[in-house]
Amino acid sequence: MEWLNKMFSNKDTEMTATEKELYSDGGKERPLDPSLEKVDVIIKKEFSHSIDFHYSTVLVGNRDGKVYYFDTLINKERLTEEIYDPLTNTEGKDAIEGTEDLEEFRKEYFSSVPYTFAENYHQIFWKLLNGYAVLVIDGIEKAVCINLGTLEKRTVSEPSTQTIIRGPKDSFTESIKTNLSLIRRRIRNPNLCFEQYRVGQDTRTAVVIAYMKSITNEELVKEVKSRIEKINVVGLFDSGNIEEFLTDKSMTPFPLTFNTERPDNAAANLIEGKIIIIVDGSPFALSVPTVFTDFFISTEDYYQPFFMASFIRIIRYVAFMFSLLLPSLYVAISTYHHELIPTSLLISVQAQREGVPFPAVIEILLMELTFEVLREAGVRMPRAVGQTVSIVGALVIGQAAVEAGLVSSVLIIIVALTAIASFVSPIYNFSVATRILRFVYIIVAAMIGLYGVLLLVVIMVVHLTSLRSFGVPYLAPIAPFLMEDQKDVFLRMPVWDNITRPSYLKPKHGKKVGDKASQGSKSQSEGNVT
């Protein structure tokens, strides 16, 4: 039963090693040797097996020196311009005599480049792995680390999983610096904070949490930091790798973290008082805490008239219920509750089912599984043929199944409506939960009819009320019912009326607007400066 307790309880894992514990003796910092020969042996021992690791001997005034770097992490043109060329001017000069002269030497020859000093080996190794070129000088107990990093990265493009009709069309990329700049451009506020952690014993991947210091609840910030510090994984390659470490419970089909590749969505959540978690190498950012209604709200709702946005939001809720319950209702009614169907419709349905060799539950399970296989095949196949195969495959197989008498035509309509409704959710991983639960509802409906469907709905609601996301009830603001937060749940009120932040987040400032007079004076002063 121990594994069950772990599944249903909060995560409590050991802390990962810090940067200072890497590449050190017994967890202690190992100072840099003054002898270039000793330093050279240790650095080569650590990296000489890598073909992209290079070093070159240079002359720094009257002293020997060596430059170490990874050519896959730096710009080699900058290496020549910003290190080798300046060092040629030091030949024959008493450029540096000791550690106390290192800063003056740096100002004279490397004044225009980002730099840092390394006093021990783990700092040197860390800088090398982060795109720095390290200059070690014989007799000097400090190394000069110059930032020459350059990484190949994908350009900013439109989101691939969250389609946009109206609104900004940029999306996050795999570069964490690009992602942070996309957020910073939208929130030009000194209260926007970015804090970085390193996660993954082997990968040491950068994980940044973003929050508004003047808005976000301090206890929430501490909780997020604590959970990130406790993550203990060997490698981290995507934000999805840490989702299960951040959630309060893992045994639930419903996502407890909200992921987005839209910077405007992330910025809007920050303004509300939430925390954004960005992982280097992942184009998807996580937003916490997360509530059930977040998966029915799109940032695009706020770029359209509130009447249209409210109508679309209601459509999303209805589509969720359709995709979850429609197949099970068909099975329950056609098997146990014929009296609920009008007589003329019942005769038509039964006439179509005449000659079908399987009961309704086998029919619908067969078609649902077939559609899931086609959907997965369409995703995994090359993009040029993926959509064609999934659409044509569904049409051909459905038509052939009806003509062969394996399924009824009504059932094809039910499966098609269910599939279309499942795509309405703006967030893909939320639709996965409905796809899983749909099969459970179908099986229970086949066993005990509508009573089973109703019982499962009650159990699902009870389960949803028990869920928490960083201490916030998953069904908030519906359960518990918070009247002040109802302006942006099922309907979207006009922007001028929706001026409060969600109270369940316990933000420092509950209102989104301030004093108009102070805002006007600020705008005027900014204009004068411009």
Side-chain angles (χ1 to χ4, degrees):
M1 297 294 292
E2 185 177 354
W3 67 275
L4 281 176
N5 293 331
K6 289 182 179 180
M7 286 291 187
F8 286 97
S9 63
N10 291 343
K11 306 293 182 300
D12 188 13
T13 54
E14 299 179 357
M15 289 185 65
T16 58
T18 63
E19 293 179 16
K20 291 186 177 181
E21 294 170 343
L22 292 173
Y23 317 116
S24 56
D25 294 335
K28 299 179 180 179
E29 298 180 6
R30 182 177 177 182
L32 200 65
D33 292 301
S35 171
L36 176 61
E37 184 178 353
K38 292 182 179 179
V39 174
D40 187 55
V41 170
I42 293 175
I43 294 179
K44 287 180 180 178
K45 181 181 177 181
E46 192 71 31
F47 296 118
S48 60
H49 58 278
S50 299
I51 62 172
D52 59 340
F53 174 70
H54 297 278
Y55 57 90
S56 58
T57 303
V58 294
L59 190 63
V60 185
N62 57 356
R63 295 179 182 270
D64 292 327
K66 283 199 174 182
V67 177
Y68 302 92
Y69 59 92
F70 283 93
D71 65 355
T72 53
L73 297 178
I74 70 168
N75 187 322
K76 299 185 75 172
E77 293 181 359
R78 290 184 60 194
L79 176 68
T80 302
E81 295 174 359
E82 298 178 2
I83 294 184
Y84 288 151
D85 289 347
L87 287 178
T88 58
N89 299 324
T90 68
E91 295 181 6
K93 298 181 180 180
D94 295 335
I96 184 170
E97 294 297 333
T99 306
E100 60 277 3
D101 299 328
L102 192 60
E103 175 61 22
E104 293 299 324
F105 166 77
R106 199 279 312 168
K107 288 181 180 178
E108 182 176 355
Y109 295 101
F110 306 117
S111 59
S112 61
V113 294
Y115 76 99
T116 184
F117 293 123
E119 300 179 353
N120 46 62
Y121 288 103
H122 74 265
Q123 290 178 353
I124 288 179
F125 297 157
W126 186 252
K127 294 304 179 184
L128 284 171
L129 293 170
N130 280 273
Y132 282 72
V134 176
L135 171 62
V136 181
I137 306 171
D138 188 30
I140 308 299
E141 297 180 356
K142 284 185 179 181
V144 182
C145 306
I146 299 174
N147 188 356
L148 303 177
T150 176
L151 297 174
E152 296 296 330
K153 58 185 180 181
R154 180 169 57 93
T155 59
V156 177
S157 58
E158 289 191 31
S160 59
T161 61
Q162 300 173 7
T163 307
I164 300 173
I165 298 176
R166 180 178 179 180
K169 294 186 179 295
D170 54 351
S171 66
F172 288 130
T173 69
E174 288 75 16
S175 171
I176 194 168
K177 289 186 178 180
T178 302
N179 296 342
L180 297 182
S181 70
L182 290 173
I183 296 177
R184 178 69 72 180
R185 290 176 183 176
R186 286 173 167 81
I187 305 178
R188 303 180 186 273
N189 192 320
N191 289 306
L192 175 59
C193 298
F194 294 131
E195 296 188 21
Q196 180 173 292
Y197 295 82
R198 292 284 173 178
V199 179
Q201 295 176 357
D202 292 335
T203 59
R204 309 303 299 159
T205 306
V207 176
V208 173
I209 65 169
Y211 62 94
M212 295 294 292
K213 184 171 57 176
S214 59
I215 300 174
T216 310
N217 184 279
E218 291 182 0
E219 293 299 321
L220 175 61
V221 175
K222 291 179 181 178
E223 181 64 23
V224 173
K225 291 180 180 180
S226 174
R227 296 192 188 187
I228 291 179
E229 290 172 352
K230 292 179 180 179
I231 295 175
N232 188 9
V233 292
V234 174
L236 177 61
F237 305 102
D238 186 80
S239 58
N241 295 141
I242 64 174
E243 279 192 56
E244 294 183 8
F245 289 96
L246 297 175
T247 55
D248 296 63
K249 290 183 179 180
S250 56
M251 289 297 291
T252 177
F254 296 96
L256 297 179
T257 57
F258 182 91
N259 69 80
T260 180
E261 59 176 339
R262 295 181 59 172
D264 59 330
N265 198 334
N269 285 333
L270 286 170
I271 296 299
E272 292 289 328
K274 295 187 178 184
I275 296 177
I276 301 299
I277 302 171
I278 306 169
V279 177
D280 191 16
S282 173
F284 289 90
L286 304 179
S287 173
V288 293
T290 301
V291 295
F292 183 76
T293 56
D294 286 343
F295 298 97
F296 298 92
I297 298 174
S298 173
T299 313
E300 197 171 334
D301 294 348
Y302 303 94
Y303 306 147
Q304 299 179 357
F306 68 94
F307 283 116
M308 187 64 185
S310 299
F311 173 73
I312 294 174
R313 193 172 293 181
I314 292 174
I315 291 295
R316 293 192 190 114
Y317 284 102
V318 174
F320 167 72
M321 298 304 296
F322 262 62
S323 64
L324 184 66
L325 299 177
L326 189 58
S328 57
L329 291 177
Y330 170 78
V331 171
I333 293 175
S334 62
T335 306
Y336 296 101
H337 309 283
H338 296 150
E339 66 278 4
L340 297 179
I341 307 177
T343 304
S344 56
L345 179 60
L346 177 62
I347 294 173
S348 176
V349 171
Q350 292 300 327
Q352 293 179 23
R353 285 189 46 80
E354 187 177 356
V356 176
F358 305 114
V361 61
I362 301 298
E363 275 187 280
I364 205 158
L365 284 176
L366 182 64
M367 294 308 300
E368 284 286 350
L369 287 172
T370 302
F371 186 82
E372 291 295 333
V373 171
L374 287 171
R375 173 154 42 184
E376 189 66 18
V379 172
R380 304 302 168 194
M381 292 186 69
R383 186 172 299 180
V385 296
Q387 282 189 334
T388 303
V389 169
S390 58
I391 295 174
V392 174
L395 291 174
V396 172
I397 292 176
Q399 185 65 29
V402 172
E403 292 180 357
L406 298 178
V407 297
S408 62
S409 55
V410 173
L411 186 134
I412 297 296
I413 298 175
I414 297 293
V415 172
L417 287 175
T418 303
I420 294 172
S422 66
F423 287 114
V424 173
S425 174
I427 308 300
Y428 174 77
N429 63 339
F430 184 77
S431 65
V432 174
T434 62
R435 289 161 59 185
I436 296 173
L437 291 175
R438 188 186 308 146
F439 289 96
V440 180
Y441 275 93
I442 290 172
I443 293 173
V444 173
M447 296 171 62
I448 51 178
L450 288 178
Y451 304 104
V453 175
L454 180 61
L455 180 62
L456 272 184
V457 170
V458 173
I459 293 174
M460 185 184 73
V461 173
V462 171
H463 172 68
L464 288 173
T465 55
S466 70
L467 295 178
R468 296 291 185 274
S469 178
F470 288 87
V472 175
Y474 194 58
L475 282 186
I478 302 172
F481 185 78
L482 304 173
M483 178 60 72
E484 61 271 23
D485 295 338
Q486 299 303 312
K487 293 182 179 180
D488 195 24
V489 179
F490 299 104
L491 301 175
R492 183 182 82 76
M493 293 293 105
V495 176
W496 48 262
D497 189 38
N498 188 12
I499 60 174
T500 58
R501 295 185 174 91
S503 60
Y504 57 80
L505 295 176
K506 299 180 181 178
K508 293 180 181 178
H509 298 286
K511 289 189 176 182
K512 300 178 184 179
V513 296
D515 182 37
K516 290 185 177 179
S518 63
Q519 289 180 359
S521 61
K522 288 182 181 179
S523 300
Q524 185 177 1
S525 63
E526 289 176 359
N528 294 335
V529 171
T530 304

